[in-house]
Amino acid sequence: MWNSVWHLLLSICGWAVFAYMIFVLCFYFTMFIISAFQLRKQYQLNDEEPYEDLLAVSYTTPLSILVPAYNESVGIIGSVRSLLGIEYPEYEVIVVNDGSSDDTLEKLIEEFSLVKMNRVVRKQVETKEVKAVYRSKLYDYLYVVDKQNGGKSDALNAGINLSNYPYFCSIDGDSVLERDAFLKVMKPIIDSDGEVIASGGSIRIANGCKIENGAVVSIGLDTQPLVVMQIIEYLRAFLMGRIGLSRHNLLLIVSGAFGVFSKRWVIEAGGYSHTVGEDMELVVRLHRLIKQKKTSNQIVYIPDPVCWTEAPDEIKYLRRQRNRWHRGLFDSLWKHKEMLFNPKYGSIGMISMPYFVFIELIGPVMEMLGYLFIVISLVVGGIYVEFAYLLFLLMVVYGSLYSMAAVLLEEWSLRKYPKVSDIAKLFFFSLTESFWYRPLTVIWRCHGLLDVIRNKKGWGDMQRKGVSQ
């Protein structure tokens, strides 16, 4: 009897994973088609002239750039320098030192000749105590806020309170922007006359690139396989996932490393929430606010404006990052669970929320069941072996070929990697993904869900080596 029950459970598990993989593959294939058409349509246009027009002050909207920094001593100077030299007519840079325990603040004071200023900060959103506000004697549009530690969301809220302009951009302290990135990411906001309330750009891995004085001199690949796989992962997430969702205003995440928001809308939504996934949680709240106000405002993704950021090159730090990301995903979805399959929220409730719940959140669990089924089937033998081979082949298609398609889109449109050898290397590593890298990320993300059950909080320490030379 127990033998029959065991075989029945094994069969149900196998067929459930198989059906799930088929469904996900169909969904991703649809996303690939949408993304390919959208990318091709965009890059057949001559978009040099519109961006040059935006350099005139009369065409642009002033922008506040917020840089939350906690123990970013290694890379903060290069990141700030990259912002001081961007192509944009009117902007301010506000670095928020969130109670760093290293010499982040001291480096900023020395490098940019900062002096304390008497500034009354209007508290539009609640934050930890602000100790001091500094202004640069060299660049009158550079400010530094020194405050008690409260986490990234609290630092961003402090920056919002200090900012002077109607739109703000959040930038990670270890990031470097391409010079025309803001012209490109702000264009849909300016063209829409306020219809677009948030706009996000692409994040790329800076490891392996040559960066001097806050500017990307040449683009290349890192030699470490772990970093190369992250490059592929980012290409897949941004060029396929976000383009497809943004096309129909279904985007639920604008990366905290590079995103522009309407200050008025963010303040009305309550600012950034204290959670490990503050960037996604804010975007979901903005969508809720749009539906509640019954407006047609949009949140969009623009693939070309690129922000280069440092990626973890050691397994222990990458594991912490992916664990944290998955906990943040769960937290954001759980806080807004009433939106799931709720027609009141339109396509966000009926398409976008289910996608993030059943594919992004539960996906690692289903993949883990698939790996367990394959291992058990090979041990049990019999009729399950052939099915295990079929399931493994399907998972290879799901992982590796999907990543190869993302590399193809990169070469077809943006072409950020000029060397043919780099593209060949990306293709090769895409082919190997299902055999080592994807199982690792599945384990880390599943562990993140276990940490949710155990009510584990916090970011975990991350090591920064610095990308700017």
Side-chain angles (χ1 to χ4, degrees):
M1 177 183 175
W2 287 111
N3 193 46
S4 299
V5 172
W6 167 254
H7 283 286
L8 178 63
L9 289 175
L10 196 59
S11 296
I12 292 173
C13 176
W15 281 109
V17 174
F18 183 81
Y20 177 84
M21 288 295 176
I22 292 293
F23 168 75
V24 172
L25 276 171
C26 292
F27 185 89
Y28 279 151
F29 180 74
T30 304
M31 297 270 280
F32 172 74
I33 297 300
I34 293 172
S35 300
F37 274 104
Q38 190 70 10
L39 274 172
R40 207 58 192 159
K41 178 182 176 182
Q42 180 171 344
Y43 289 99
Q44 281 175 340
L45 300 174
N46 179 9
D47 50 16
E48 288 183 7
E49 187 63 31
Y51 297 135
E52 290 178 357
D53 288 347
L54 290 178
L55 285 172
V57 177
S58 59
Y59 281 91
T60 56
T61 300
L63 180 68
S64 300
I65 304 171
L66 312 183
V67 187
Y70 175 72
N71 291 350
E72 299 284 0
S73 172
V74 174
I76 191 64
I77 300 302
S79 296
V80 173
R81 285 212 171 277
S82 76
L83 297 174
L84 296 175
I86 63 171
E87 292 180 353
Y88 201 77
E90 189 175 1
Y91 66 97
E92 62 182 358
V93 179
I94 302 173
V95 182
V96 184
N97 179 50
D98 189 45
S100 297
S101 57
D102 64 4
D103 60 345
T104 297
L105 180 62
E106 289 73 19
K107 276 192 173 182
L108 288 167
I109 291 173
E110 181 181 354
E111 184 73 20
F112 300 108
S113 300
L114 300 178
V115 292
K116 277 188 181 181
M117 60 181 295
N118 293 321
R119 174 78 179 266
V120 177
V121 180
R122 183 184 173 193
K123 229 176 190 181
Q124 301 177 85
V125 284
E126 285 297 318
T127 69
K128 295 280 189 178
E129 180 189 350
V130 172
K131 298 177 183 178
V133 178
Y134 298 85
R135 189 174 188 174
S136 172
K137 291 194 293 185
L138 305 177
Y139 308 93
D140 59 3
Y141 53 96
L142 172 61
Y143 300 87
V144 174
V145 180
D146 184 31
K147 61 179 288 292
Q148 288 183 353
N149 179 260
K152 184 179 178 181
S153 57
D154 196 78
L156 288 169
N157 286 337
I160 291 171
N161 287 336
L162 186 73
S163 62
N164 296 302
Y165 297 139
Y167 284 86
F168 71 87
C169 176
S170 60
I171 298 286
D172 280 353
D174 62 338
S175 301
V176 173
L177 285 168
E178 293 187 351
R179 290 195 66 197
D180 60 353
F182 279 110
L183 291 174
K184 293 177 178 179
V185 81
M186 285 296 292
K187 188 175 186 299
I189 292 175
I190 296 168
D191 289 348
S192 71
D193 195 25
E195 190 77 5
V196 174
I197 62 171
S199 176
S202 292
I203 309 299
R204 296 295 180 89
I205 304 297
N207 307 48
C209 299
K210 187 178 181 182
I211 299 175
E212 295 178 354
N213 297 319
V216 180
V217 177
S218 63
I219 296 170
L221 292 183
D222 197 88
T223 56
Q224 298 191 54
L226 197 67
V227 175
V228 176
M229 289 310 307
Q230 290 177 75
I231 292 172
I232 295 167
E233 197 176 21
Y234 275 50
L235 288 176
R236 187 175 65 229
F238 284 94
L239 291 187
M240 295 183 69
R242 298 192 187 181
I243 289 178
L245 292 171
S246 174
R247 176 69 176 81
H248 301 285
N249 199 25
L250 296 172
L251 196 62
L252 285 192
I253 183 167
V254 171
S255 177
F258 183 35
V260 175
F261 296 88
S262 163
K263 185 167 75 171
R264 177 177 67 85
W265 275 83
V266 170
I267 291 172
E268 189 174 349
Y272 283 91
S273 178
H274 296 276
T275 173
V276 290
E278 74 287 326
D279 43 7
M280 178 178 180
E281 201 279 330
L282 173 62
V283 174
V284 178
R285 254 188 298 126
L286 288 174
H287 274 298
R288 292 190 70 161
L289 192 58
I290 290 170
K291 296 300 181 184
Q292 288 166 6
K293 296 177 76 169
K294 297 181 179 179
T295 64
S296 58
N297 295 90
Q298 294 180 305
I299 296 171
V300 302
Y301 163 71
I302 312 298
D304 194 16
V306 170
C307 174
W308 298 89
T309 189
E310 181 182 358
D313 58 4
E314 295 181 31
I315 283 185
K316 66 177 179 179
Y317 295 115
L318 182 60
R319 174 179 56 80
R320 290 175 189 173
Q321 183 191 67
R322 297 313 155 92
N323 178 299
R324 184 181 72 244
W325 285 2
H326 217 64
R327 284 188 286 124
L329 174 63
F330 175 88
D331 198 37
S332 298
L333 294 173
W334 181 254
K335 282 186 176 181
H336 302 280
K337 55 185 179 294
E338 65 273 14
M339 294 176 66
L340 184 65
F341 292 123
N342 189 338
K344 174 184 173 182
Y345 296 99
S347 56
I348 293 295
M350 302 304 291
I351 299 174
S352 197
M353 287 291 287
Y355 160 74
F356 277 95
V357 170
F358 295 106
I359 295 182
E360 294 294 335
L361 183 68
I362 298 178
V365 177
M366 297 302 294
E367 285 188 66
M368 179 65 77
L369 287 175
Y371 292 130
L372 291 174
F373 175 85
I374 291 169
V375 172
I376 293 171
S377 296
L378 293 175
V379 173
V380 173
I383 60 172
Y384 297 107
V385 175
E386 291 183 0
F387 191 76
Y389 289 151
L390 178 63
L391 188 60
F392 180 73
L393 181 62
L394 194 63
M395 294 177 80
V396 169
V397 172
Y398 167 61
S400 297
L401 294 189
Y402 182 47
S403 295
M404 292 175 74
V407 176
L408 179 65
L409 282 182
E410 151 67 26
E411 176 60 16
W412 196 33
S413 55
L414 300 179
R415 296 186 177 179
K416 292 292 180 183
Y417 297 96
K419 296 180 182 178
V420 176
S421 58
D422 287 344
I423 298 299
K425 189 175 181 180
L426 289 172
F427 264 107
F428 170 75
F429 277 97
S430 297
L431 191 61
T432 69
E433 180 179 5
S434 295
F435 298 95
W436 68 282
Y437 184 75
R438 192 163 189 88
L440 283 176
T441 58
V442 165
I443 293 169
W444 297 334
R445 291 158 72 193
C446 285
H447 193 264
L449 291 177
L450 288 176
D451 285 342
V452 166
I453 296 172
R454 295 187 297 179
N455 200 30
K456 181 178 177 180
K457 306 290 184 182
W459 277 64
D461 294 331
M462 294 295 291
Q463 184 189 54
R464 299 295 188 195
K465 297 181 179 179
V467 294
S468 187
Q469 298 171 6

